[in-house]
Amino acid sequence: CNIKMKIWASTTLAAAAALAATPTSYAFTQSLGVAARPSSVSSISASTSQLSKQSAATATSSSTSLAAEGSDESFPTADTDLSDVGFVLLAGGTGSRMKANMPKQYLTLRGMPVLHHSLDLFLERLPVFARENGKSGPPMVVLVMDPKYQPEYQPIVDKYAGRLAFANPGEERQGSVENGLNKLVELAGDSCKYVAVHDSARPLVTIKEVCDVVSDAKEHGAAVLGVPCKATIKESEDGSMVLRTIPRARLWEVHTPQVIKIDTLQRGLAKVEAENLEVTDDVSIVEQLGEPVKLTLGEYTNLKITTPEDMNLAISILDERKMEPVDLLDEAYGWEIDAPTK
């Protein structure tokens, strides 16, 4: 395998923790459901430099607490039935903000690519958890991946034949989701009633979070993991002057997986295509149908790897959990371990 990369970062853990706790600019647009390319932008009132003045001891304590809460031992819902839930794992992004020479999902996190942490969860740990509780695990995982990387992952697909398959990405996220969904329906047929769409750049999602959001989707038809925004959000028309402060109590930062009944998502995708709508996430498609979406309380540790600083925090969380995904091929890949942080 040629997928090798070292991540060198010099930021303190305090800065990394501050960045992880800061919601993305999508926090506001996702609450609206459709990306209409607005002229206004949302900005975070507290700058990274101000937040990084917090002591390293405080940040370490906060990270430790969050990591403990995010561990898979935090009482997952044992009665959640995953036997009719297929997973679409999106790994077609370019990761331009990482400033690396390959997409972020292929960079190494604790000795293996970021993507492998999600693959291990869906193909190994979730099925084991389900069996231990008298249930069945997910029947199918579809890996949406650029064709140029697929040969590197063919041995893994071969190992999990019948449970793992490729789909090609689309030009936009919704195209990738649709391609993955079509492949899932083609291979799983009527055995899957729900689809869980997950970003491969979120390697820290827990079994508990997956079970909780699946349970909510089965009750309401669609559900999305999220956390209340902790930062104060300002709206600006020109990116220079503050227009107003958005009431924080009504804002949620949404994560993945996002779980939707398959026939609902199919109807939503058809509507989005027919009306030429651009949506920023998967449940926004359901919102366009006027149907309900349940907010499932997730964990702040389910961060999205977007910058080198995020990698630092992810390493800290994995260290605290004392758990690493197994080698998916039961052999040493030879990927280099993470570079030390300063």
Side-chain angles (χ1 to χ4, degrees), residues 303-322:
L303 60 91
K304 185 174 184 178
I305 303 295
T306 304
T307 68
E309 292 82 6
D310 296 329
M311 290 288 277
N312 282 346
L313 185 56
I315 291 168
S316 176
I317 293 170
L318 286 176
D319 284 348
E320 181 62 29
R321 289 180 180 176
K322 299 183 180 354

Side-chain angles (χ1 to χ4, degrees), residues 16-341:
L19 285 166
T22 300
T24 66
S25 60
Y26 282 137
F28 180 61
T29 57
Q30 284 179 330
S31 72
L32 300 178
V34 180
R37 304 186 185 277
S39 58
S40 62
V41 297
S42 297
S43 62
I44 307 306
S45 63
S47 67
T48 300
S49 61
Q50 290 172 320
L51 290 171
S52 64
K53 292 179 181 178
Q54 299 170 353
S55 67
T58 300
T60 302
S61 173
S62 174
S63 175
T64 299
S65 173
L66 288 173
E69 293 172 3
S71 69
D72 280 353
E73 289 72 30
S74 56
F75 308 108
T77 306
D79 60 352
T80 301
D81 181 14
L82 299 170
S83 64
D84 58 353
V85 183
F87 284 75
V88 171
L89 184 57
L90 302 179
T94 60
S96 58
R97 282 175 287 184
M98 281 297 294
K99 299 179 180 178
N101 62 1
M102 66 175 64
K104 53 184 174 285
Q105 59 268 27
Y106 305 119
L107 302 178
T108 57
L109 175 61
R110 274 295 170 258
M112 63 181 61
V114 168
L115 168 61
H116 286 213
H117 292 259
S118 296
L119 284 172
D120 177 67
L121 173 62
F122 301 148
L123 295 169
E124 294 288 346
R125 287 189 280 133
L126 263 180
V128 168
F129 173 79
R131 287 195 300 270
E132 289 175 347
N133 290 279
K135 303 289 184 180
S136 298
M140 176 63 64
V141 177
V142 175
L143 179 58
V144 180
M145 173 179 281
D146 190 313
K148 73 179 180 181
Y149 292 106
Q150 291 180 12
E152 298 283 352
Y153 281 82
Q154 189 62 53
I156 297 178
V157 171
D158 292 341
K159 177 183 177 180
Y160 296 97
R163 295 175 54 205
L164 179 64
F166 290 125
N168 293 336
E171 293 184 6
E172 303 290 343
R173 178 192 176 92
Q174 65 201 55
S176 295
V177 170
E178 186 168 16
N179 290 350
L181 178 64
N182 290 340
K183 179 61 69 171
L184 175 64
V185 171
E186 172 191 336
L187 297 177
D190 294 335
S191 65
C192 285
K193 304 297 184 184
Y194 297 84
V195 59
V197 183
H198 186 59
D199 292 332
S200 62
R202 292 188 185 273
L204 303 176
V205 67
T206 64
I207 289 177
K208 172 175 169 50
E209 287 177 290
V210 173
C211 290
D212 286 350
V213 73
V214 167
S215 294
D216 281 347
K218 290 193 171 187
E219 181 178 353
H220 299 277
V224 55
L225 281 174
V227 291
C229 286
K230 296 195 290 185
T232 297
I233 309 296
K234 303 286 188 185
E235 182 180 2
S236 173
E237 288 185 328
D238 58 6
S240 176
M241 303 299 292
V242 171
L243 176 64
R244 64 175 178 132
T245 300
I246 308 296
R248 182 171 57 188
R250 300 179 62 183
L251 295 179
W252 281 62
E253 177 187 350
V254 296
H255 296 168
T256 64
Q258 302 188 10
V259 186
I260 306 169
K261 200 170 183 179
I262 287 178
D263 62 357
T264 301
L265 183 56
Q266 288 173 326
R267 287 188 291 110
L269 285 168
K271 177 182 175 67
V272 166
E273 182 176 358
E275 299 180 13
N276 196 29
L277 301 173
E278 183 181 355
V279 293
T280 59
D281 70 344
D282 314 307
V283 294
S284 297
I285 298 172
V286 180
E287 293 167 39
Q288 290 303 304
L289 294 173
E291 299 187 17
V293 176
K294 178 69 167 67
L295 279 169
T296 301
L297 181 62
E299 299 167 8
Y300 290 96
T301 51
N302 186 15
L303 60 91
K304 185 174 184 178
I305 303 295
T306 304
T307 68
E309 292 82 6
D310 296 329
M311 290 288 277
N312 282 346
L313 185 56
I315 291 168
S316 176
I317 293 170
L318 286 176
D319 284 348
E320 181 62 29
R321 289 180 180 176
K322 299 183 180 354
M323 54 180 288
E324 296 184 15
V326 298
D327 189 329
L328 292 172
L329 286 178
D330 302 317
E331 62 184 25
Y333 259 80
W335 281 304
E336 299 179 25
I337 63 172
D338 311 282
T341 57

